[in-house]
Amino acid sequence: MTNFINPPPPPDSALSRIPLPTRSRFQPLLLGVLALSLIPAGWLAVSRVQFENSEKNVALVMDYPALSQQAKETGQDPNELLLHYKTLGVNGVAVYEDVVASTIQRGQTYFLSGAELAARNPGNTAINPEWSYMTDIVPGVVEKLRARYNFAQNVKPVNIGGKTWFGWPVDPRFLPAGPDTAQIDRLKSEGFVVVYRPYADQRVLNEGADWPDVPFISFTGSEVMGIGNRDPDKLAAIKARLGNRVPTIIENTLQKGLDTLIEDRTAARMFSLNPSWQNSLFPEEVASKYALAARERTQRILYLRPFKTQAETETFLKRFTEQLSRSHITITQPVIRNYEPSSLLRWLSILGPLSALLLLGLSYPLPRLGLIVAGLALLGALGLNGGQPFPGMALVAAITFPSLGLVLRRRRMTDWFVATAFSLLGVLFVSALGTDKNSMLGLDPFSGVGLTLVLPIGLVLLSFLPRQDIRRTAAELYALPIRVGDVAVMVLVAAVFSLAVLRRGNTSSVGVSPAEAKIRQDLQDAIIRPRFKEVFGHPLLLLGLSGVLPGYFTILSLLGGLVGQASILNTFSHFHTPLLISATRAFIGLGAGLVFGYVTVWIARTVLRLWHSYGGWNGGRPALEKSGA
């Protein structure tokens, strides 16, 4: 059994030709510093978990215009339909700012183009046919509207048949007209969380001055108010007018100026699906995506739109609320707070990545090269993050710890456990140094996250250089003969690695097949889905450490399997994902990878043994040698 768990590599394995690491006399000291720095890092991890556990609540906010459209199509009153959906879990409503056309639709004002008004009143030279005209049905409405805009002095009154018509130099129907306070007050009285969605328009005086008393503001468009005309004073006024209202951060739509607006306040992450994409999916698929957003991406405002039919909408809401219940996420009005880690504990945690990086450099077979590489990695990580120590050192931890275990030990299959242990230690430092308010909101993760899948491979690969003059090594590599098979293998490896890197993150540039999408959905609905890079990467690393593959395929497997270790740190670099969710994902991946890895090694040994023995084939050696004559 011991031989199966940790069989020795073949004597002619490529592993035996890799130079041994240098055992530095500073290794015990550096490991001691690393161990001590785990204390503040672990403390920060505990505080983060406590904070995240207190935030497991969401609001299900229905888009009111889309709801009204469905109500009209089904012959229902919008408010009655909304109250029906409330019984299925909806507890919030998104209400857009009124436009001037709303007052026309409600019968408060009357609108005519200047040409039409002139046609009805021939000979009246006071009418400008190029303007637009409005008159009151409810007294005072037009006068109140025109006072909102910076061209109010150009709104000319004209008396026609005893009625006062106000002429506008622009078509006013689509101008923002402020909130429908009566509607908002009614929704609040019915127990709904109201998200107000104002429009930005530079023609409006005192934008934000008439915002209703609601808990959340969600800006429309790609910029927040005050940015459209690049006016810092106006942005400051908008910031002051927010008061206790919490602005939303729309998933995958970072509005320009929002980071400035929330510098000294908080914000709520909000998730929604594009209506056209939603209508291309089944209700069960949409429910799965929303549940994933609430469970694994800390989205606190879930912005819903009804499906084409009421029956589909009901199916979606029932499935969605069931999944929220299974995840112990409550539906209520979220109280949004900032995560504020201790700066002292973060400074103490920096010692861990520093000592690990120094140990990595000193352990290279060529220590001077290792120290140069370590120094460049440190400067590069800090440079990418603008010299900021915490995100810079988080990147250092993310690239160092997956590499450290394989630089120190890489001779037997059990060395996989050493590499994994170092990767898991690195998780604590990445979390401690990279987690703050902005990174948890998804606004400002440390720069270079994509490099966490690439640089560890480079750090380990450089440690394979033999213990000799590097100029000699360069000359030998240059003179190395390359066969057509080698080129084919290199192209295949590069293609597979590029695919793995491009498919990182929640929204990658390379899509997935329908079959894989179905597998992913089923897994994430049943359990916390592991990352496929880890499920396939860990077996590759075990296969490489077994030494069973011939020639340089052992080295390729070793380096390819390093993606699994790097992916662990990359997983925890998504700070908007709760720490325990990332930990569960990583351990499921480790367990599956370990099982698949030992099965893969057994299959590889069996296949190679059959390949070399079946039918008496002996690798092309002469028959005389085979007979022993």
Side-chain angles (χ1 to χ4, degrees), residues 323-344:
Q323 292 178 332
L324 289 179
S325 178
R326 286 203 303 268
S327 300
H328 306 290
I329 297 174
T330 57
I331 300 172
T332 185
Q333 177 175 318
V335 177
I336 309 299
R337 299 178 299 135
N338 286 334
Y339 176 66
E340 299 176 348
S342 164
S343 295
L344 174 60

Side-chain angles (χ1 to χ4, degrees), residues 70 184 187 189 206 219 261 355 386 393 454 462 488 490-491 537 572:
Q70 187 184 70
I184 291 173
L187 292 170
S189 69
N206 302 319
F219 296 103
L261 199 64
S355 59
M393 293 309 299
V454 179
L462 287 173
M490 286 189 288
V491 170
F572 285 88

Side-chain angles (χ1 to χ4, degrees), residues 37 39-45 47 339-354 388-394 428-440 444 446 575:
S37 61
I39 298 173
W43 196 340
L44 286 168
S47 69
Y339 176 66
E340 299 176 348
S342 164
S343 295
L344 174 60
L345 294 179
R346 297 178 85 189
W347 278 111
L348 292 174
S349 299
I350 280 180
L351 295 174
L354 281 176
Q388 298 179 73
F390 296 141
M393 293 309 299
L428 291 175
F429 295 107
V430 169
S431 175
L433 298 170
T435 309
D436 57 17
K437 182 196 82 172
N438 283 346
S439 64
M440 291 190 78
D444 189 25
F446 63 78
F575 302 109

Side-chain angles (χ1 to χ4, degrees), residues 210-250:
D210 59 357
W211 283 344
D213 181 18
V214 296
F216 299 103
I217 294 286
S218 182
F219 296 103
T220 57
S222 60
E223 300 176 334
V224 303
M225 292 177 173
I227 290 294
N229 56 6
R230 310 300 189 266
D231 187 344
D233 293 335
K234 189 172 183 180
L235 183 62
I238 292 295
K239 190 173 183 178
R241 288 166 187 164
L242 275 173
N244 293 325
R245 305 174 187 91
V246 178
T248 64
I249 300 173
I250 305 172

Side-chain angles (χ1 to χ4, degrees), residues 1 13 25 28 37 46 130 144 242 248 258 282 292 303 319 330 345 452 454 475 478 520 526 553 593 625:
M1 185 67 178
S13 165
R25 66 179 185 275
S37 61
V46 171
E130 296 182 356
K144 182 179 179 182
L242 275 173
T248 64
L258 187 60
F282 291 107
L292 179 71
Y303 196 97
R319 180 68 175 269
T330 57
L345 294 179
T452 59
V454 179
Y478 180 78
R520 288 184 174 205
F553 287 99
E625 179 184 340

Side-chain angles (χ1 to χ4, degrees), residues 600-622:
T600 301
V601 171
W602 178 82
I603 291 173
R605 289 183 186 277
T606 302
V607 169
L608 287 172
R609 184 171 63 252
L610 291 174
W611 177 267
H612 289 296
S613 61
Y614 181 75
W617 189 81
N618 64 345
R621 292 190 298 275

